[in-house]
Amino acid sequence: MHPVSLPAGDLTLSALLAVPDGPPRGTIVAVHGGGTSAAYFDGQAHPDVSLLTLGARLGYTVVAVDRPGYGASAAQLPGGQTLTEQATALRMALRHLGDHCGTGTGMFMLAHSFGGKLALAYAAGADERDSSLPALLGLDISGLGHTYLDDPSQFLGANRHSGWKRNWGALRYYPPNTFREADTMVGPMPVHERTEAGRWPLRFAELAGRVRVPVRLTFAECELWWRNDEESLTDLAAGFTAAPLVRVDRQPGAGHNISLGWAARAYHLRAVAFFEECLGRQAAGASAAS
């Protein structure tokens, strides 16, 4: 794993990149949530936690991107960007990645919480005719629903400790030293994102129906941000009217920040298995067309 810079128009996005020993099967683009950073996907509290390490060992290129307003672009964008602006910046950054790094058969997005909103905005605006971008083959999103349990404005203030229990759940879900390590990756959520959060139920309805790739959604056992009863999840899945496959899963023994907990390896392996299904679907489709 090593840090890289990805040009995105007038911005430069920082990222963490891990590559396999041989040619990659595909590329996993990891998109962090609100108030964290790309380091969310490279947890150091235990060897089993890091998505970057696991993904590269399984034959994938993995790039965890600091979203606009975080990392290298934080000083230039202290208020962050809207979802639409972030999707544009991410598209330019991934175009650069595709030009300079082998991406394999195609690209998958593994996104968490607010990062899932960006993943949906990116997928909803994807143009299948744009050959300058690696093909988007699937989305795997954790910690994102379409209906909040409570008014999010109560917990999304500039104080980074607000909403602590909602983000983490019980201490037993995480390896020792998790919170010491996490202190360097946790910070305030930019103001534009706090505004976008309040609009999300309406934005979800606009975006979900335009997603045309397989989608997997995972909810932690202790998910305190989103309604995730069976009726709510059925309604959530029904919003993806153009997706060829929608799957909703639950992750036992986990809080909202699944990728930093003891359940991280199990969740990441399930995500990679889903991506392998997407690769199989693509290969079957190509075979049928030939």
Side-chain angles (χ1 to χ4, degrees), residues 87-127:
T88 299
L90 183 60
R91 192 165 287 110
M92 288 188 284
L94 295 180
R95 183 175 289 115
H96 175 84
L97 179 72
D99 289 342
H100 294 84
C101 179
T103 55
T105 304
M107 181 178 70
F108 305 94
M109 282 196 179
L110 190 154
H112 172 66
S113 197
F114 194 99
K117 300 174 184 179
L118 174 54
L120 292 180
Y122 181 99
D127 186 345

Side-chain angles (χ1 to χ4, degrees), residues 164-174 179 222 224 255-256:
W164 191 96
K165 185 174 182 180
R166 291 173 182 268
N167 288 327
W168 296 98
L171 294 176
R172 68 179 181 275
Y173 294 142
Y174 302 92
F179 301 102
C222 185
L224 300 176
H256 179 73

Side-chain angles (χ1 to χ4, degrees), residues 13-208:
L13 303 185
S14 46
L16 301 175
L17 179 69
V19 297
D21 289 336
R25 292 184 58 73
T27 295
I28 298 173
V29 179
V31 189
H32 67 86
T36 58
S37 71
Y40 174 83
F41 294 105
D42 191 39
Q44 297 297 300
H46 190 276
D48 286 345
V49 172
S50 171
L51 169 70
L52 281 100
T53 299
L54 178 66
R57 286 177 179 168
L58 294 175
Y60 287 85
T61 292
V62 186
V63 58
V65 182
D66 282 317
R67 295 189 289 102
Y70 295 85
S73 66
Q76 189 174 349
L77 297 170
Q81 286 187 328
T82 66
L83 275 178
T84 300
E85 291 169 335
Q86 289 189 45
T88 299
L90 183 60
R91 192 165 287 110
M92 288 188 284
L94 295 180
R95 183 175 289 115
H96 175 84
L97 179 72
D99 289 342
H100 294 84
C101 179
T103 55
T105 304
M107 181 178 70
F108 305 94
M109 282 196 179
L110 190 154
H112 172 66
S113 197
F114 194 99
K117 300 174 184 179
L118 174 54
L120 292 180
Y122 181 99
D127 186 345
E128 297 174 351
R129 298 165 298 179
D130 188 350
S131 60
S132 67
L133 281 166
L136 179 62
L137 303 181
L139 303 178
D140 194 291
I141 298 172
S142 69
L144 179 69
H146 67 324
T147 307
Y148 291 104
L149 279 168
D150 297 294
D151 180 357
S153 64
Q154 302 177 65
F155 309 101
L156 295 176
N159 178 1
R160 66 178 182 168
H161 296 295
S162 63
W164 191 96
K165 185 174 182 180
R166 291 173 182 268
N167 288 327
W168 296 98
L171 294 176
R172 68 179 181 275
Y173 294 142
Y174 302 92
N177 297 324
T178 293
F179 301 102
R180 184 177 303 160
E181 298 286 343
D183 197 53
T184 62
M185 73 177 76
V186 176
M189 190 181 215
V191 64
H192 281 308
E193 295 192 2
R194 299 201 299 270
T195 301
E196 290 275 6
R199 299 171 178 164
W200 178 244
L202 290 176
R203 291 302 307 276
F204 173 82
E206 296 170 5
L207 296 173

